[in-house]
Amino acid sequence: MTISMAMCIPTQPLKNVSLSGQKLNVRQKEKVVLVMGATGTGKSRLSIDLATCFPSEIINSDKMQVYKGLDIVTNKITKEEQRGVPHHLLGTQDPNSEFTATDFCDMASIAIESIVGRDHLPIIVGGSNSYVEALVDRFGSRYNLCCLWVDVSIPVLHPYVAKRVDHMLDSGMVNELRPFFNPNGDYSRGIRKAIGVPEFDLYFRSEAFSNDETRQRLLQEAISEVKRNTCKLACKQLGRIHGLINVKRWKIQRLCATPVFQKHGQDANDAWKNLVAQPSAMIVDQFLYSANVVSGLRVPAF
């Protein structure tokens, strides 16, 4: 699934324009948009769509994508897909270090302050809800937050995730993984925790002295395990979002993208635009500029 075409192009500073073209007063409290969802649902795509409507900068909150390397395995958005939108905490950290939730909160807070200082909208996007929850708990009353949740039903998402793994393989996933193999490697630290690294351990250990049949069997087993663990991750992420709604009482705007994943080609792009991109842009526009929005961290966007 590609990132998608622009919906609108901003022509004025963020603090003076809305989608309706009205001239507005400067916002009294700085605001932040959060894009959530399970792996593979289109969070990066939506963040870029929003950035074409509102002068924005994106802060990555995926705990594996913060590390340098393994761009295919961690499914990092490419430079081309970023379309010139500034990204923070994307591929910036030492892959052998441990980047904790506290580290993320410290660096994301600095990025947010820098972004709002440029009159841009911070958009936090990623599937690592533990990072996001820690950051929001630190916010206090400093920012208003609009949460967007791109939701795809699990029975529809799982086959898509499996196909995405196949695409990653076609794009060179195995060769990208090979330099990260270490027979004494620690899979509990840094980028080696990423799905794909531990699953290929046995394959890399055995490939030098195995025959073709054994290598092929081990390869298929590794691929199947990557697919299973990615699907498990999606379920875990979804459960965490439900917990934020039901337990922590976050006000989260759900956008159902399931029909998008049931279509192909232009039909899928049209469904994305009508069901996800445009509704999200209207929610954010109202969140930023409506006089009826109540101040506070966990208030609905409308």
Side-chain angles (χ1 to χ4, degrees), residues 17-60:
V17 66
S18 76
L19 291 179
S20 63
Q22 297 176 325
K23 292 184 177 180
L24 302 151
N25 294 326
V26 177
R27 301 189 304 276
Q28 296 302 308
K29 184 182 287 189
E30 299 298 348
K31 300 182 180 182
V32 175
V33 170
L34 172 61
V35 179
M36 312 175 71
T39 185
T41 53
K43 299 181 295 298
S44 294
R45 180 182 187 179
L46 179 57
S47 69
I48 297 297
D49 283 338
L50 291 173
T52 66
C53 289
F54 311 96
S56 309
E57 298 182 34
I58 293 170
I59 301 173
N60 165 58

Side-chain angles (χ1 to χ4, degrees), residues 235-276:
C235 292
K236 180 180 178 181
Q237 291 169 326
L238 185 60
R240 192 72 177 259
I241 292 172
H242 283 295
L244 294 174
I245 295 171
N246 298 323
V247 178
K248 302 202 75 170
R249 314 307 298 177
W250 283 25
K251 304 300 182 183
I252 299 177
Q253 305 288 339
R254 175 179 177 269
L255 299 130
C256 181
T258 300
V260 178
F261 288 71
Q262 295 172 318
K263 301 178 185 295
H264 303 281
Q266 189 57 45
D267 289 341
N269 286 332
D270 290 343
W272 176 268
K273 178 180 178 181
N274 294 329
L275 298 176
V276 181

